[in-house]
């Protein structure tokens, strides 16, 4: 794939949107304007964006307790995510989901699943439906390194493989399951090696490099869409912030953080765009302003939206046509 | 009109719905293997011949995984009927049923539907503790799940067809002693639930109970096997001049509360019979509803007849002690007079 074919500028814009959106969320959380907690995706943006750049609106994404980046990359509106985080009636889940369950099926993003690994068989099921209904839709499940030690990972990947389902499994190995380091819970260097046990390709990619992720995800998604079956893609990445807002990160060293900070995909992609002659300072500054304006708009929308009624608690237990 | 066992009635319901709607499919262990049993209790026997192995989809032994796949398939536009060989295995799939299937509509603000049917055989049948449990209360407790428990062939067909067409996850509890499975899958001690099933199509709406026997002196509520225990007890009691009204709710969620309350308002006495353990059980819930809403019509305390708070035992003498007997129902009723 030539550099010209990679939509690097668009991907940069989406990564920046995710970064600035979450920085704003964090600020609003510290101010007490967003309740609950937040699992921020800061540092991992290249994964969601590099993968979702290949997806159509009618393809499926099934995410985790850390879903903001996937939701934005899949096209869920900033307004509806921000309103959901503000627990407003206009949120993408009408205030019934919150940060860990953002999603919007009208753009193919299932409300995120916050039980580690549970989205893995669900993605296979969406892929089964896509195949059985005669479409060429694909399903993508994002999950962390921790999920690869759940039984659902083993069962889901095995069935996706035996039935040749159009699903791509994207493992975002950010080195920590909450505070537990990868090396304490894995005897192997690469989670992608487990793919072989199920009879599917497993690929390792630098998850801090959006071009590399784009390349590898493109091959996996094309394979799935052609009916050639599932792929396990392991993206080596890092969350540059704590697990949740109550995490002081005392289980990892400042040196390690600095090392990964240097690989931050946002400034690195900005430099790459300039080196390739795809953007100059002026263009980057104007993208920054546009992104900030879109986030301002989302925050204003959220703040001006009504709260749900307390009795809305009783609605939507069962589906009504 | 044809005479059918419950296993045959369930099979006929699945066949009709699969013919009617190409989105309906079955998924589970050993359900369509050529030369196999057609599920643990023959319900899907022969269906793969008509519908093929894509729609009668045999799985690895991965209850959590294939239940999750069914959840995803349901969200993606199909209508899965999931089969676990024994209800006890539902515990392996609990996360997908409780956290995903039951909550997805709610968490999505009512925008996502999960039209999934989970079929689960229950009941103690000489198999020891892990192939025997009655699990209804675990699932009636979960908001977002509907629960049905048919005790006749007519109900089995009509309720299962409604469940398949429902846009929500529905758990179907089927009692092993009521299936009427034949050949090598025949159950020892089975009760004949053979009944007339109309040739023409019919549906039984979820949430409507039935009065199996009318009576003025006491209301006995049972489900699955204990409906039959209650009916036999009612016959014995009638010989002693006590007329029992036997109610079979058929659907546990949503519950036909009014049918029970109306009967208690008439009889003034209530006995609930179930095969599940006593503590935190379904019977306790029925007792609580009646105590809250019909207390002033009661002439005697409410009685629960259930299994004791033990796992199902193996030795037949102990299992017979464990499962509520006709004698225990008779005794409970007589203690109210």
């Amino acid at each position: 794939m030539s550099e010209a074919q990679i939509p690097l500028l668009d991907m940069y814009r989406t990564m920046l949107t995710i970064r600035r959106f979450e920085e704003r969320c964090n600020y609003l959380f510290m101010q007490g304007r967003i309740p609950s907690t937040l699992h921020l995706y800061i540092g991992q943006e290249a994964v969601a964006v590099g993968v979702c750049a290949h997806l159509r609106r009618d393809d499926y994404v099934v995410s985790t307790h850390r879903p903001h980046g996937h939701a934005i990359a899949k096209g869920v509106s900033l307004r509806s995510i921000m309103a959901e985080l503000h627990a407003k009636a206009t949120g993408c889940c009408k205030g019934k989901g919150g940060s860990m369950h953002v999603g919007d099926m009208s753009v193919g993003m299932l409300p995120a699943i916050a039980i580690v690994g549970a989205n893995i068989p669900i993605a296979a099921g969406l892929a089964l439906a896509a195949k059985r209904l005669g479409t060429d839709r694909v399903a993508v499940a994002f999950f962390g390194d921790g999920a690869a030690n759940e039984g659902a990972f083993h069962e889901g990947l095995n069935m996706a493989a035996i039935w040749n389902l159009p699903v791509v499994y994207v493992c975002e190995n950010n080195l920590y399951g909450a505070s537990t380091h990868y090396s304490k819970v894995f005897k192997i260097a690469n989670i992608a090696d487990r793919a072989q046990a199920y009879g599917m390709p497993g690929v390792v990619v630098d998850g801090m490099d959006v071009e590399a992720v784009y390349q590898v995800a493109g091959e996996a998604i094309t394979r799935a869409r052609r009916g050639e079956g599932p792929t396990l893609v392991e993206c080596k990445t890092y969350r540059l912030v704590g697990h949740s807002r109550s995490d002081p990160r005392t289980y990892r060293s400042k040196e390690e953080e600095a090392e990964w900070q240097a690989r931050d995909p946002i400034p690195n992609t900005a430099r790459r765009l300039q080196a390739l002659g795809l953007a100059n300072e002026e263009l980057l500054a104007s993208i920054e302003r546009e992104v900030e304006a879109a986030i301002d708009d989302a925050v204003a929308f959220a703040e001006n939206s009504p709260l749900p009624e307390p009795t809305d608690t009783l609605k939507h237990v069962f589906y009504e046509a | 009109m044809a005479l059918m066992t419950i296993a045959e009635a369930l099979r006929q319901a699945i066949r009709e719905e699969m013919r009617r709607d190409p989105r309906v499919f079955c998924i589970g262990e050993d359900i369509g293997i050529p030369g196999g049993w057609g599920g643990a209790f023959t319900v899907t026997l022969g269906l793969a011949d008509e519908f093929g192995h894509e729609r009668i989809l045999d799985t690895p032994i991965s209850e959590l995984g294939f239940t999750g796949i069914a959840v995803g398939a349901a969200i993606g536009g199909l209508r899965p009927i999931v089969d676990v060989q024994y209800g006890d295995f539902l515990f392996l799939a609990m996360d997908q049923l409780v956290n995903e299937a039951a909550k997805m509509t709610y968490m999505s603000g009512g925008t996502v539907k999960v039209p999934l049917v989970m079929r689960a055989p229950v009941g103690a049948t000489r198999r020891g503790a892990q192939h025997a449990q009655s699990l209804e209360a675990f699932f009636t407790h979960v908001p977002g799940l509907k629960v049905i428990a048919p005790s006749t062939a007519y109900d089995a067909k009509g309720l299962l067809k409604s469940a398949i067409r429902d846009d929500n996850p529905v758990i179907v509890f089927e009692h092993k002693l009521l299936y009427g499975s034949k050949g090598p899958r025949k159950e020892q001690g089975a009760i004949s639930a053979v009944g007339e099933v109309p040739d023409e199509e019919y549906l039984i709406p979820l949430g409507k109970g039935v009065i199996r026997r009318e009576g003025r002196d006491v209301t006995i509520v049972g489900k699955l096997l204990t409906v039959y225990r209650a009916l036999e007890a009612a016959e014995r009691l009638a010989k002693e001049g006590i007329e029992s009204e036997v109610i079979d709710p058929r659907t546990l969620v949503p519950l036909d509360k009014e049918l029970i309350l109306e009967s208690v308002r008439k009889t003034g006495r209530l006995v609930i019979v179930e095969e599940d353990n006593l503590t935190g059980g379904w019977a306790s819930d029925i007792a609580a509803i009646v105590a809250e809403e019909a207390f002033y019509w009661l002439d005697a305390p409410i009685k629960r007849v259930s299994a004791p708070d033990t796992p199902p035992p193996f030795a037949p003498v102990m299992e017979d002690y464990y499962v509520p007997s006709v004698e225990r129902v008779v005794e409970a009723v007589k203690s109210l007079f």
Side-chain angles (χ1 to χ4, degrees):
Chain A
M1 197 177 292
S2 76
E3 280 157 2
Q5 286 174 294
I6 298 181
L8 194 58
L9 193 62
D10 287 344
M11 292 199 293
Y12 173 73
R13 189 189 305 268
T14 309
M15 287 198 296
L16 188 72
T17 303
I18 297 169
R19 175 68 58 89
R20 296 288 178 259
F21 183 91
E22 289 206 309
E23 286 169 346
R24 186 73 68 89
C25 290
N26 192 43
Y27 172 75
L28 294 168
F29 172 81
M30 304 292 260
Q31 285 194 323
R33 288 151 80 186
I34 285 179
S36 177
T37 189
L38 299 168
H39 298 93
L40 299 178
Y41 194 63
I42 287 174
Q44 301 180 210
E45 295 90 343
V47 179
V49 173
V51 173
C52 291
H54 294 281
L55 297 179
R56 302 191 314 234
R57 188 185 167 94
D58 65 347
D59 290 327
Y60 296 112
V61 161
V62 196
S63 177
T64 69
H65 58 284
R66 198 179 300 289
H68 308 160
H70 307 131
I72 292 171
K74 190 64 176 69
V76 181
S77 83
L78 298 186
R79 282 183 165 199
S80 76
I81 302 171
M82 192 60 92
E84 188 64 30
L85 299 186
H86 279 74
K88 295 297 181 77
T90 54
C92 52
C93 303
K94 302 190 177 86
K96 291 258 171 63
S99 166
M100 287 193 277
H101 303 297
V102 294
D104 178 354
M105 274 302 263
S106 71
V107 297
M109 169 87 186
L110 188 67
I113 308 282
I115 303 294
V116 173
N119 63 334
I120 291 173
I122 290 178
L126 287 163
L128 177 73
K131 184 177 175 180
R132 191 69 56 74
L133 293 170
T135 73
D136 67 346
R137 290 173 167 191
V138 302
V140 174
F142 291 98
F143 51 89
D145 39 297
N149 284 333
E150 288 279 6
F153 171 88
H154 166 68
E155 297 186 16
L157 264 67
N158 184 50
M159 278 181 274
I162 60 176
W163 295 329
N164 221 37
L165 298 176
V167 57
V168 177
Y169 287 115
V170 180
C171 178
E172 304 189 53
N173 183 353
N174 65 13
L175 288 179
Y176 293 90
S179 66
T180 301
H181 191 263
Y182 178 85
S183 61
K184 283 182 88 84
V185 291
F186 287 89
K187 191 79 173 171
I188 53 174
N190 297 315
I191 292 170
D193 292 349
R194 291 188 176 177
Q196 200 188 346
Y198 308 110
M200 71 171 77
V203 193
V204 177
V205 64
D206 178 359
M208 307 303 272
D209 179 346
V210 73
E211 292 168 272
V213 173
Y214 181 84
Q215 180 87 28
V216 164
E219 285 160 20
I221 290 164
T222 303
R223 247 176 63 76
R225 216 182 286 289
R226 280 193 193 137
E228 293 165 15
T231 306
L232 173 61
V233 177
E234 179 185 3
C235 303
K236 304 282 193 186
T237 184
Y238 199 76
R239 60 172 153 70
L240 295 171
V241 295
H243 167 71
S244 66
R245 295 307 75 219
S246 54
D247 173 10
R249 317 194 308 279
T250 42
Y251 48 85
R252 61 188 202 188
S253 68
K254 295 289 170 238
E255 292 73 28
E256 180 186 284
E257 292 192 350
E259 202 178 295
W260 284 91
Q261 193 74 52
R263 298 172 61 188
D264 185 340
I266 309 277
N268 285 348
T269 306
R271 278 193 289 275
R272 175 91 171 132
L273 283 166
Q274 287 176 291
L276 291 170
L278 294 172
N280 54 25
E281 288 288 347
E282 199 183 327
L283 179 57
L284 292 175
S286 91
I287 291 173
E288 188 80 48
R289 282 193 300 276
E290 285 164 24
V291 165
E292 288 293 344
I295 293 164
D296 288 344
D297 170 75
V299 173
F301 173 79
E303 290 188 341
N304 294 325
S305 288
L307 288 167
E309 292 296 324
T311 52
D312 287 347
T313 303
L314 305 176
K315 291 182 186 163
H316 309 308
V317 176
F318 292 107
Y319 185 83
E320 284 165 38
Chain B
M1 203 68 97
L3 280 176
M4 281 190 195
T5 64
I6 286 185
E8 288 164 344
L10 292 168
R11 189 183 309 137
Q12 189 58 25
I14 295 170
R15 182 181 283 126
E16 287 178 14
E17 291 305 299
M18 287 185 71
R19 283 178 185 161
R20 194 183 72 88
D21 184 348
R23 298 171 301 172
V24 178
F25 76 107
C26 295
I27 177 169
E29 297 147 336
D30 300 295
I31 60 174
I33 300 290
W37 317 311
F41 297 93
T42 74
V43 171
T44 52
L45 192 65
L47 292 179
D49 297 338
E50 179 174 350
F51 299 105
H53 292 282
E54 286 219 330
R55 291 183 72 197
I56 302 293
L57 185 58
D58 285 297
T59 67
I61 301 173
S62 302
E63 288 84 1
L64 175 67
F66 68 70
T67 303
I69 286 178
V71 172
I75 295 167
L78 299 179
R79 290 185 168 266
I81 303 170
V82 195
D83 184 305
V84 283
Q85 299 199 332
Y86 290 84
D88 310 67
F89 307 166
L90 286 182
F91 292 122
L92 287 157
M94 214 58 175
D95 175 60
Q96 285 294 336
L97 291 170
V98 177
N99 276 318
E100 279 76 44
K103 293 177 185 169
M104 186 48 73
T105 295
Y106 194 76
M107 296 195 306
S108 70
T111 59
V112 176
K113 64 181 174 188
V114 188
L116 172 151
V117 171
M118 169 61 83
R119 296 186 32 249
V122 292
T125 51
R126 308 290 193 245
R127 288 175 167 93
Q130 295 181 337
H131 290 63
Q133 197 166 344
S134 289
L135 300 142
E136 296 89 288
F138 283 99
F139 294 92
T140 56
H141 186 70
V142 179
L145 298 179
K146 295 186 178 179
V147 182
I148 62 176
S151 67
T152 69
Y154 177 85
D155 287 356
K157 185 178 171 198
L159 285 169
L160 181 57
K161 283 169 71 83
S162 292
I164 294 167
R165 295 186 196 187
D166 201 285
D167 282 336
N168 294 281
V170 183
I171 315 282
V172 187
F173 287 112
E174 303 163 4
H175 200 288
K176 298 180 203 100
L177 292 181
L178 300 180
Y179 274 127
S181 310
K182 291 169 186 163
R185 304 304 295 173
K186 186 174 158 59
E187 289 292 300
Q188 241 187 359
I191 282 181
S192 172
V194 171
E196 290 193 334
V197 174
D199 298 322
E200 65 273 17
E201 172 159 292
Y202 68 96
L203 296 168
I204 297 174
L206 304 191
K208 290 276 169 228
V210 284
I211 298 172
R212 295 283 177 211
R213 183 189 196 281
E214 289 198 18
R216 59 173 189 273
D217 300 324
V218 60
T219 300
I220 310 177
V221 178
K223 60 177 153 61
L224 296 166
L225 180 72
T226 62
V227 171
Y228 293 88
R229 297 280 150 94
L231 286 168
E232 207 182 319
E235 289 306 311
R236 290 197 205 170
L237 288 160
K239 289 184 185 125
E240 301 184 34
I242 298 172
E243 287 301 328
S244 310
E245 181 142 297
V246 176
I247 291 183
D248 177 0
R250 303 192 290 192
T251 301
L252 309 183
V253 179
L255 180 69
D256 192 349
K257 199 169 76 168
E258 267 316 305
L259 187 72
I260 297 168
L261 290 171
E262 232 171 81
S263 177
V264 171
R265 287 185 198 116
K266 179 174 76 176
T267 64
R269 290 178 180 83
L270 174 64
V271 174
I272 310 137
V273 196
E274 70 167 334
E275 197 179 318
D276 203 346
N277 307 117
L278 182 71
T279 302
W282 177 79
S284 307
D285 217 42
I286 303 294
I289 291 168
V290 170
E292 281 184 344
E293 301 190 33
F295 184 78
Y296 296 108
W297 280 269
L298 287 170
D299 296 323
I302 298 167
K303 279 275 175 193
R304 292 172 295 162
V305 179
S306 73
D309 286 334
T310 70
F314 165 64
V317 288
M318 290 195 283
E319 191 187 90
D320 291 343
Y321 173 84
Y322 173 90
V323 179
S325 62
V326 175
E327 290 72 25
R328 283 183 60 202
V329 181
V330 168
E331 210 175 288
V333 169
K334 284 164 84 173
S335 76
L336 303 181
F337 290 89

